[in-house]
């Protein structure tokens, strides 16, 4: 009986098939772990130009803010209507006052240096005090209409990570 079962085992799954199945299972396990930590993301729109152009690809590190909150200047991904995500820059944190005046960003009354913003804007907005549990975000490309590029206050629990590169 023992010889018969080993013959049956070799017939159903020869040695090379067992190695293949083990490698396949390891690959699937690695993929599940990889995509629970990172999410592929294709940039849609031009609100973050010139750093991220429309159609460019990045990986989003989902656990970036697992133990700490975003800081001013961080680029974050924000869950937006289901499975859509926005890429925006954090401009102000809870309790800060934000204002756009003649194209300049003022946080708590101080003009902020933003070397990543190439195209300045001429619109005004604010002052707005950021509520607790929220942060104020906007895109880097601010030469277009204010409504296209400012997301304004976003709850911190909707921030789902940050781009890897």
């Amino acid at each position: 009986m023992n010889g018969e079962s080993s013959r049956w085992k070799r017939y159903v799954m020869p040695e090379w098939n067992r190695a293949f199945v083990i490698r396949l299972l390891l690959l699937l396990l690695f993929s599940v772990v990889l995509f629970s930590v990172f999410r592929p993301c294709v940039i849609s729109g031009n609100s973050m130009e010139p750093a991220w152009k429309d159609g460019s690809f990045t990986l989003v590190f989902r656990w970036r803010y697992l133990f700490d909150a975003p800081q001013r200047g961080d680029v974050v991904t924000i869950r937006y209507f289901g499975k859509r995500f926005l890429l925006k820059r954090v401009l102000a944190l809870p309790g800060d006052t934000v204002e756009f005046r003649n194209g300049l960003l003022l946080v708590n009354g101080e003009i902020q240096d933003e070397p990543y913003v190439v195209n300045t804007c001429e619109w005004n907005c604010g002052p707005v005090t950021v509520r607790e549990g929220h942060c104020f975000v906007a895109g880097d490309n601010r030469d277009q209409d204010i409504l296209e590029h400012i997301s304004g206050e976003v709850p911190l629990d909707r921030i789902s990570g940050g781009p890897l590169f």
Side-chain angles (χ1 to χ4, degrees):
M1 185 83 168
N2 193 14
E4 213 173 286
S5 73
S6 79
R7 238 184 288 141
W8 173 252
K9 192 185 215 181
R10 281 189 303 240
Y11 176 76
V12 172
M13 189 175 287
E15 187 65 35
W16 63 271
N17 277 352
R18 274 185 260 156
F20 172 77
V21 169
I22 289 171
R23 287 184 186 126
L24 182 63
L25 289 174
L26 287 173
L27 180 64
L28 287 173
L29 179 67
F30 177 73
S31 298
V32 167
V33 169
L34 180 69
F35 287 109
S36 70
V37 176
F38 300 103
R39 175 188 307 114
C41 180
V42 176
I43 307 303
S44 164
N46 63 352
S47 71
M48 288 301 290
E49 286 183 355
W52 284 276
K53 297 193 181 326
D54 185 24
S56 61
F57 174 82
T58 189
L59 285 175
V60 173
F61 183 42
R62 295 171 119 182
W63 294 356
R64 182 170 182 186
Y65 299 112
L66 193 60
F67 299 111
D68 60 346
Q71 300 300 311
R72 270 189 218 109
D74 286 357
V75 176
V76 297
T77 53
I78 302 163
R79 281 191 316 278
Y80 178 76
F81 293 126
K83 295 199 177 218
R84 288 196 59 197
F85 294 88
L86 297 174
L87 203 61
K88 299 288 180 181
R89 189 172 303 271
V90 176
L91 301 180
L93 302 172
D96 288 344
T97 302
V98 182
E99 182 178 2
F100 285 96
R101 191 181 314 146
N102 300 322
L104 297 173
L105 169 65
L106 287 86
V107 177
N108 298 327
E110 296 179 19
I111 296 175
Q112 301 297 303
D113 179 35
E114 297 182 292
Y116 41 80
V117 175
V118 175
N119 302 321
T120 59
C121 57
E122 295 303 322
W123 34 261
N124 297 313
C125 171
V128 175
T129 302
V130 182
R131 294 178 288 167
E132 198 60 40
H134 291 71
C135 63
F136 194 93
V137 298
D140 288 350
N141 185 5
R142 299 190 195 141
D143 66 341
Q144 296 182 0
D145 185 19
I146 188 171
L147 298 176
E148 291 181 23
H149 298 287
I150 289 195
S151 296
E153 283 189 338
V154 174
L156 290 172
D157 62 355
R158 288 196 35 215
I159 293 177
S160 65
L164 210 57
F165 47 87

